[in-house]
């Protein structure tokens, strides 16, 4: 429960920061990854490190593919890895899907607002 709340907090702060500055600071992502590790060790005990590392890999791996296709920035990859580190692998997959959908809708809204979808 606490770890999922951490994932929501990190994702929210990163999203607002990204929208306002078009950047996601490394201090946010790296500190969140370390904090997620500490949280998993304290709260999950036995499989905490495994859950943390697989969540990190699933979250970061999904967005890494999108980064390699040049549809996202590296900060997005690191942010999703941090969120996955908090949430674990199954929730990381779900959050990545919803994040990609929300990002696509936001990109479409910005394009419409800026008039980039007009016919010429």
């Amino acid at each position: 429960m606490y770890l999922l709340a951490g994932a929501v907090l990190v994702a929210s702060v990163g999203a607002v920061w990204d929208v306002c500055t078009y950047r996601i600071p490394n201090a946010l992502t790296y500190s969140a990854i370390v904090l997620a590790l500490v949280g998993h060790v304290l709260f999950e005990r036995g499989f905490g490190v495994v859950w943390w590392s697989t969540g990190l890999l699933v979250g970061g791996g999904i967005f890494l593919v999108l980064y390699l296709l040049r549809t996202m920035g590296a900060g997005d990859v690191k942010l999703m890895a941090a969120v996955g580190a908090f949430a674990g692998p199954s929730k990381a997959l779900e959050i990545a899907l919803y994040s990609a959908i929300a990002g696509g809708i936001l990109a479409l809204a910005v394009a419409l607002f800026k008039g980039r979808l007009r016919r010429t």
Side-chain angles (χ1 to χ4, degrees), residues 11-72:
S12 299
V13 170
V16 169
W17 204 300
D18 192 19
V19 167
C20 292
T21 66
Y22 296 102
R23 292 186 42 115
I24 300 171
N26 287 336
L28 172 67
T29 56
Y30 294 147
S31 62
I33 290 170
V34 171
L35 192 59
L37 175 60
V38 170
H40 276 288
V41 167
L42 291 176
F43 294 119
E44 300 292 329
R45 305 211 194 259
F47 291 103
V49 174
V50 173
W51 200 249
W52 169 82
S53 59
T54 54
L56 179 96
L57 292 172
V58 168
I62 292 168
F63 275 26
L64 179 62
V65 171
L66 296 172
Y67 170 74
L68 293 174
L69 294 172
R70 298 180 187 236
T71 61
M72 291 197 167

